[in-house]
């Protein structure tokens, strides 16, 4: 949601999405957050979607698909940083400029986001807070809940804006 809003607030009305694996809950939450903003705002257009698997190689394939679709000048949300890195590498090797030709943002805010050129805008999760919540959930687990398959925790996230989305 934060990235779609950032794209819109920055004047980008045509967007694309590199989704994560559909069998991963967090990938669906990331995609759904992005789509929630788009679906609530008629002035922003989803022009392209690619189904990835979180790997850098998937980002390479996403770029090849992007080229085949003959789309120009859009802002892309990648559901993780690794796919964004792969996409960016292919785009730059093809002679495109980021963010002038394509804007892109990822998710996870990996340390490498600030070290690559251009630096990658990304969503940062407070993993220390998430870890504390998980530990508290385990500590407070009742004996009859030991067989519980999963646990759901929400923590605040923030968009770290970098050069990949700013001209």
């Amino acid at each position: 949601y934060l990235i779609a809003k950032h794209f819109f607030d920055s004047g980008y009305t045509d967007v694309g999405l590199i989704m994560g694996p559909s069998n991963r809950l967090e990938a669906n939450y990331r995609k759904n957050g992005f789509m929630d903003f788009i679906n609530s705002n008629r002035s922003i257009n989803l022009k392209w979607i690619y189904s990835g698997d979180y790997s850098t190689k998937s980002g390479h394939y996403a770029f090849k698909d992007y080229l085949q679709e003959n789309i120009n000048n859009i802002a892309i949300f990648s559901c993780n940083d690794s796919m964004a890195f792969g996409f960016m590498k292919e785009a730059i090797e093809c002679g495109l400029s980021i963010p002038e030709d394509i804007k892109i943002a990822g998710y996870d805010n990996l340390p490498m986001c600030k070290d690559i050129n251009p630096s990658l805008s990304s969503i940062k999760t407070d993993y220390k807070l998430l870890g504390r919540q998980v530990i508290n959930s385990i500590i407070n687990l009742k004996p009859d809940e030991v067989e519980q398959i999963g646990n759901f925790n929400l923590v605040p996230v923030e968009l770290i804006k970098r050069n990949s989305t700013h001209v």
Side-chain angles (χ1 to χ4, degrees):
Y1 188 93
L2 293 174
I3 289 176
K5 183 175 183 335
H6 167 61
F7 288 162
F8 182 74
D9 290 346
S10 300
Y12 313 135
T13 55
D14 294 335
V15 298
L17 172 64
I18 305 173
M19 298 185 303
S22 61
N23 64 339
R24 300 277 302 265
L25 187 61
E26 82 284 347
N28 289 312
Y29 287 141
R30 294 171 184 190
K31 173 195 73 163
N32 291 344
F34 186 74
M35 294 303 299
D36 283 348
F37 184 86
I38 291 167
N39 292 331
S40 69
N41 192 321
R42 294 177 192 221
S43 299
I44 192 164
N45 307 303
L46 183 62
K47 294 284 191 177
W48 174 77
I49 298 176
Y50 182 82
S51 187
D53 64 9
Y54 278 169
S55 70
T56 304
K57 191 173 211 172
S58 183
H60 294 287
Y61 293 137
F63 180 74
K64 292 181 187 320
D65 184 77
Y66 171 84
L67 280 182
Q68 287 180 339
E69 294 295 322
N70 198 27
I71 301 166
N72 295 310
N73 199 25
I74 67 172
I76 297 171
F77 169 48
S78 173
C79 284
N80 83 342
D81 293 337
S82 293
M83 293 187 300
F85 295 149
F87 187 97
M88 290 171 69
K89 182 179 185 299
E90 290 292 323
I92 291 166
E93 287 178 359
C94 260
L96 295 176
S97 180
I98 299 170
E100 290 80 7
D101 298 319
I102 304 170
K103 293 83 176 150
I104 188 164
Y107 198 111
D108 291 323
N109 196 41
L110 296 175
M112 196 165 102
C113 289
K114 65 181 180 299
D115 296 330
I116 63 169
N117 189 21
S119 57
L120 178 64
S121 296
S122 186
I123 294 291
K124 176 184 175 187
T125 301
D126 186 341
Y127 287 109
K128 289 180 183 178
L129 176 59
L130 180 60
R132 285 193 300 273
Q133 286 183 353
V134 169
I135 289 169
N136 286 335
S137 295
I138 293 169
I139 290 170
N140 295 319
L141 192 66
K142 295 176 180 67
D144 60 333
E145 296 174 338
V146 172
E147 296 294 322
Q148 183 177 343
I149 293 175
N151 194 1
F152 184 74
N153 290 294
L154 290 175
V155 296
V157 296
E158 72 175 297
L159 173 59
I160 307 299
K161 298 174 188 173
R162 296 191 180 96
N163 294 338
S164 68
T165 58
H166 291 309
V167 177

